[in-house]
Amino acid sequence: MVEPQALRADARRNRDLIIAAAKAVFAERGADVPMEEVARRAGVGVGTLYRRFPDRDALVREVAGDSFAVLLARAREAEAEGGRGWESFLGCLKDMPELWFTLRLTLFSPDAWPIVRDDASVRVTARELRLVIDGLVRVAQAEGTLRSDVGTGDVLMLVALVVTGMRASSGALGAVVHERVLALALDALRPGSAAPLPGRPLTPDDLEPRV
Amino acid sequence: MVEPQALRADARRNRDLIIAAAKAVFAERGADVPMEEVARRAGVGVGTLYRRFPDRDALVREVAGDSFAVLLARAREAEAEGGRGWESFLGCLKDMPELWFTLRLTLFSPDAWPIVRDDASVRVTARELRLVIDGLVRVAQAEGTLRSDVGTGDVLMLVALVVTGMRASSGALGAVVHERVLALALDALRPGSAAPLPGRPLTPDDLEPRV
DNA sequence: CTTATGCGGACGAATTCCTTCCGCTTGTGT
DNA sequence: ACACAAGCGGAAGGAATTCGTCCGCATAAG
């Protein structure tokens, strides 16, 4: 648990640059982009990248851990806000799409998931995140903001699909499309459904499988 | 325009097998899967594949053309059904996910689109398809089945995102998730929105860009 | 000023994928 | 049945990518 601050100042800075760059580039092009691409985006050489992270897997784990942690922090903020917390949580999605992109990689990408799965600390954070979001969903349902025939899994899946699918359409009107379609999807979560949904409400654990 | 039926019977059969296999495998793993994978799925050798399609681009074009044509036929059926045509069109989506997967490749995949784009006949079919769907949307809106503040582009984008994003989560409960989330998304298209959507309704052409 | 830590990017190895080629098989017409 | 053309499979050459290391130079720290 010792935090080896033995890192020189510039080394520390570069490390952060690399993680930020990796987040962005993983989001845009998938977790299998060449390491050199990550390095270029971070403005460092490949050597620097490999000295800090032994191999690609280490980098992926680090990025995933960081992303989950940020999301968890956001979710806790929303939780603390009480009643309208759920909507404020959803609202912030617009501000950090790259986080969802990253999540997509770890949730939907067949090659990235096994890597992340083996990291105990990430697994703990992810579980914690699910719990908090689950709480937000229940509160929102209790106050009538969210339709009651859906589970947290349904909500997560719908939002994740919409937000993460946007990756490709980042053209000029990409932002507009993003906003509109997300707004549409969230509209689907209002109470007062016309027809009953098939099947049973999905739990957050339903989303994990990916064995 | 001559249809060279000079193909021997088994050759013809193999050609169809290849296209079907390509559809499936492109859908699952993207348009850049190794040609050998396509061949294996079709139960033929690589040589056979290359004799029928000079290179990958030719295969992609053929698959895209075929898929668009099938979709267009379905849309026209729905159109002919009159009033409830829109819903019957949406209903059939569940039955042919691979078509949407393929569409995803040609609509959202940066590498496949330029290839398809250069094929005049595909372009014509795609445009025709957009027109027919646009008509279905307007009819549905006129009869009050579909909220009136969305454009065809919005509808297509939402549905495409949800359906195509499902690719990864094809686990045991994949089908259930698919059904529920799609049902949710379609619910968002009911009339009677709570809050107005941001921006302007998207036209079908808004989706094409991808310059 | 000294030194250890960090940096960049060229490079050899390994992997993946494309495409061709050729000997064998199988439809097809007589 | 027969002969021939058309088709088939898959091994293999070759090109392109990407990995991860290594070493001479730079620079933060004291």
Side-chain angles (χ1 to χ4, degrees):
Chain A
M1 290 310 168
V2 290
E3 185 73 47
Q5 276 301 0
L7 275 190
R8 224 166 66 177
D10 54 345
R12 176 76 198 172
R13 197 181 326 128
N14 278 333
R15 187 177 184 281
D16 294 343
L17 283 176
I18 288 173
I19 290 194
K23 268 191 205 174
V25 78
F26 283 175
E28 291 175 10
R29 313 205 358 214
D32 55 351
V33 291
M35 293 295 259
E36 190 188 339
E37 175 71 16
V38 177
R40 187 180 316 128
R41 289 278 281 259
V44 303
V46 215
T48 304
L49 181 46
Y50 272 99
R51 190 170 329 96
R52 214 52 69 196
F53 307 93
D55 52 17
R56 152 177 268 104
D57 289 8
L59 178 60
V60 170
R61 270 192 294 269
E62 208 64 32
V63 169
D66 190 285
S67 298
F68 275 110
V70 173
L71 266 186
L72 178 55
R74 285 273 189 161
R76 285 209 165 115
E77 275 180 36
E79 194 178 34
E81 287 179 29
R84 309 294 283 179
W86 168 248
E87 293 190 358
S88 90
F89 179 64
L90 286 186
C92 80
L93 293 184
K94 277 195 281 292
D95 301 333
M96 47 177 194
E98 80 284 359
L99 227 57
W100 279 93
F101 288 159
T102 305
L103 275 185
R104 169 185 184 276
L105 292 175
T106 60
L107 288 179
F108 295 156
S109 154
D111 49 333
W113 179 238
I115 299 173
V116 175
R117 180 190 190 82
D118 288 341
D119 184 295
S121 106
V122 171
R123 225 166 34 217
V124 169
T125 308
R127 168 161 297 277
E128 189 68 16
L129 178 59
R130 276 201 302 271
L131 286 179
V132 175
I133 292 182
D134 206 37
L136 287 173
V137 166
R138 288 176 199 284
V139 170
Q141 283 175 332
E143 68 178 6
T145 314
L146 180 66
R147 58 193 287 177
S148 55
D149 57 346
V150 298
T152 303
D154 294 301
V155 177
L156 283 180
M157 187 56 96
L158 177 64
V159 175
L161 279 179
V162 170
V163 178
T164 62
M166 285 304 179
R167 174 183 40 125
S169 59
S170 37
L173 81 170
V176 183
V177 176
H178 193 291
E179 262 187 312
R180 281 183 68 85
V181 178
L182 182 56
L184 265 178
L186 296 185
D187 246 24
L189 299 175
R190 289 173 305 147
S193 156
L197 297 175
R200 62 166 172 79
L202 299 177
T203 71
D205 289 325
D206 284 334
L207 301 191
E208 179 166 6
R210 169 98 23 250
V211 183
Chain B
M1 291 309 169
V2 288
E3 186 73 47
Q5 277 301 0
L7 275 189
R8 226 166 64 177
D10 55 344
R12 176 78 199 173
R13 194 180 329 125
N14 278 334
R15 186 177 185 281
D16 295 343
L17 284 176
I18 289 174
I19 289 193
K23 267 190 206 176
V25 78
F26 283 175
E28 290 175 11
R29 311 202 3 212
D32 55 352
V33 292
M35 293 295 260
E36 191 188 340
E37 175 71 17
V38 177
R40 187 180 317 129
R41 290 278 281 258
V44 303
V46 221
T48 305
L49 180 46
Y50 272 96
R51 190 171 328 95
R52 215 50 69 198
F53 307 94
D55 52 18
R56 152 177 266 103
D57 289 8
L59 177 60
V60 170
R61 270 193 293 268
E62 208 63 32
V63 169
D66 190 286
S67 298
F68 275 110
V70 174
L71 266 187
L72 179 55
R74 285 273 191 160
R76 284 209 165 115
E77 274 180 37
E79 193 179 35
E81 287 180 28
R84 308 294 283 179
W86 169 247
E87 292 188 0
S88 90
F89 178 64
L90 286 186
C92 79
L93 294 184
K94 277 195 281 292
D95 301 333
M96 46 177 195
E98 79 284 359
L99 258 141
W100 280 94
F101 289 159
T102 304
L103 275 185
R104 168 184 184 277
L105 292 175
T106 59
L107 287 180
F108 295 157
S109 156
D111 50 332
W113 179 238
I115 299 174
V116 174
R117 182 191 189 82
D118 287 342
D119 186 295
S121 107
V122 171
R123 224 164 38 216
V124 169
T125 308
R127 168 160 298 276
E128 189 69 17
L129 178 59
R130 276 201 301 272
L131 286 178
V132 175
I133 292 183
D134 206 37
L136 288 173
V137 166
R138 288 176 198 284
V139 169
Q141 284 175 331
E143 68 179 6
T145 314
L146 180 66
R147 59 193 286 177
S148 54
D149 57 346
V150 297
T152 303
D154 293 301
V155 176
L156 284 180
M157 186 56 96
L158 177 64
V159 175
L161 279 178
V162 171
V163 178
T164 62
M166 285 305 182
R167 169 186 44 125
S169 59
S170 37
L173 80 170
V176 182
V177 177
H178 194 290
E179 261 187 314
R180 280 183 69 85
V181 178
L182 183 56
L184 265 178
L186 295 185
D187 245 26
L189 299 175
R190 288 174 304 148
S193 156
L197 297 175
R200 60 166 173 76
L202 299 176
T203 71
D205 289 324
D206 283 334
L207 301 191
E208 179 166 6
R210 171 97 22 246
V211 183

